[in-house]
mmCIF file of all heavy atoms in Angstrom:
data_model
loop_
_atom_site.group_PDB
_atom_site.id
_atom_site.type_symbol
_atom_site.label_atom_id
_atom_site.label_comp_id
_atom_site.label_asym_id
_atom_site.label_seq_id
_atom_site.Cartn_x
_atom_site.Cartn_y
_atom_site.Cartn_z
ATOM 1 N N PRO A 137 0.214 -2.302 18.565
ATOM 2 C CA PRO A 137 1.339 -1.597 17.935
ATOM 3 C C PRO A 137 1.082 -1.191 16.486
ATOM 4 O O PRO A 137 1.431 -0.091 16.072
ATOM 5 C CB PRO A 137 2.482 -2.596 18.051
ATOM 6 C CG PRO A 137 2.151 -3.399 19.269
ATOM 7 C CD PRO A 137 0.656 -3.523 19.273
ATOM 8 N N LEU A 265 -8.672 17.580 -8.269
ATOM 9 C CA LEU A 265 -9.912 18.277 -8.610
ATOM 10 C C LEU A 265 -9.732 19.793 -8.614
ATOM 11 O O LEU A 265 -10.379 20.510 -9.372
ATOM 12 C CB LEU A 265 -11.035 17.888 -7.640
ATOM 13 C CG LEU A 265 -11.480 16.418 -7.652
ATOM 14 C CD1 LEU A 265 -12.573 16.186 -6.616
ATOM 15 C CD2 LEU A 265 -11.969 15.997 -9.038
ATOM 16 N N VAL A 320 -21.546 -12.732 -15.169
ATOM 17 C CA VAL A 320 -21.876 -12.535 -13.753
ATOM 18 C C VAL A 320 -22.431 -13.835 -13.196
ATOM 19 O O VAL A 320 -23.402 -14.386 -13.732
ATOM 20 C CB VAL A 320 -22.904 -11.394 -13.574
ATOM 21 C CG1 VAL A 320 -23.192 -11.168 -12.093
ATOM 22 C CG2 VAL A 320 -22.385 -10.102 -14.211
ATOM 23 N N ARG A 416 23.763 -15.839 21.926
ATOM 24 C CA ARG A 416 25.051 -15.653 22.606
ATOM 25 C C ARG A 416 24.868 -15.644 24.125
ATOM 26 O O ARG A 416 25.699 -15.100 24.846
ATOM 27 C CB ARG A 416 25.684 -14.322 22.160
ATOM 28 C CG ARG A 416 25.938 -14.210 20.661
ATOM 29 C CD ARG A 416 26.620 -12.900 20.302
ATOM 30 N NE ARG A 416 26.953 -12.861 18.878
ATOM 31 C CZ ARG A 416 26.186 -12.274 17.941
ATOM 32 N NH1 ARG A 416 25.067 -11.666 18.296
ATOM 33 N NH2 ARG A 416 26.549 -12.294 16.677
ATOM 34 N N LEU A 449 27.448 -6.389 34.871
ATOM 35 C CA LEU A 449 27.020 -7.555 34.103
ATOM 36 C C LEU A 449 27.683 -8.815 34.638
ATOM 37 O O LEU A 449 28.721 -8.753 35.298
ATOM 38 C CB LEU A 449 27.428 -7.378 32.624
ATOM 39 C CG LEU A 449 26.817 -6.194 31.869
ATOM 40 C CD1 LEU A 449 27.505 -6.033 30.519
ATOM 41 C CD2 LEU A 449 25.322 -6.390 31.672
ATOM 42 N N SER A 579 -23.588 5.597 5.269
ATOM 43 C CA SER A 579 -22.206 5.918 4.892
ATOM 44 C C SER A 579 -22.184 7.235 4.136
ATOM 45 O O SER A 579 -23.039 7.490 3.286
ATOM 46 C CB SER A 579 -21.624 4.818 4.001
ATOM 47 O OG SER A 579 -21.500 3.628 4.737
ATOM 48 N N ASN A 618 -26.785 -15.430 5.650
ATOM 49 C CA ASN A 618 -27.710 -15.635 4.534
ATOM 50 C C ASN A 618 -28.282 -14.305 4.054
ATOM 51 O O ASN A 618 -28.017 -13.256 4.626
ATOM 52 C CB ASN A 618 -28.850 -16.565 4.973
ATOM 53 C CG ASN A 618 -28.331 -17.908 5.432
ATOM 54 O OD1 ASN A 618 -27.367 -18.420 4.869
ATOM 55 N ND2 ASN A 618 -28.955 -18.476 6.444
ATOM 56 N N LEU A 626 -23.318 -3.569 -9.278
ATOM 57 C CA LEU A 626 -23.806 -4.392 -10.389
ATOM 58 C C LEU A 626 -25.001 -3.724 -11.050
ATOM 59 O O LEU A 626 -25.132 -3.701 -12.272
ATOM 60 C CB LEU A 626 -24.205 -5.785 -9.875
ATOM 61 C CG LEU A 626 -23.125 -6.860 -9.859
ATOM 62 C CD1 LEU A 626 -23.640 -8.104 -9.158
ATOM 63 C CD2 LEU A 626 -22.666 -7.202 -11.262
ATOM 64 N N THR A 679 -38.283 -3.633 23.229
ATOM 65 C CA THR A 679 -38.361 -3.931 24.654
ATOM 66 C C THR A 679 -38.376 -2.617 25.412
ATOM 67 O O THR A 679 -37.404 -1.865 25.363
ATOM 68 C CB THR A 679 -37.151 -4.776 25.101
ATOM 69 O OG1 THR A 679 -37.093 -5.923 24.265
ATOM 70 C CG2 THR A 679 -37.281 -5.209 26.541
#
Side-chain angles (χ1 to χ4, degrees):
L265 296 179
V320 182
R416 301 183 175 96
L449 298 170
S579 294
N618 301 323
L626 270 173
T679 306

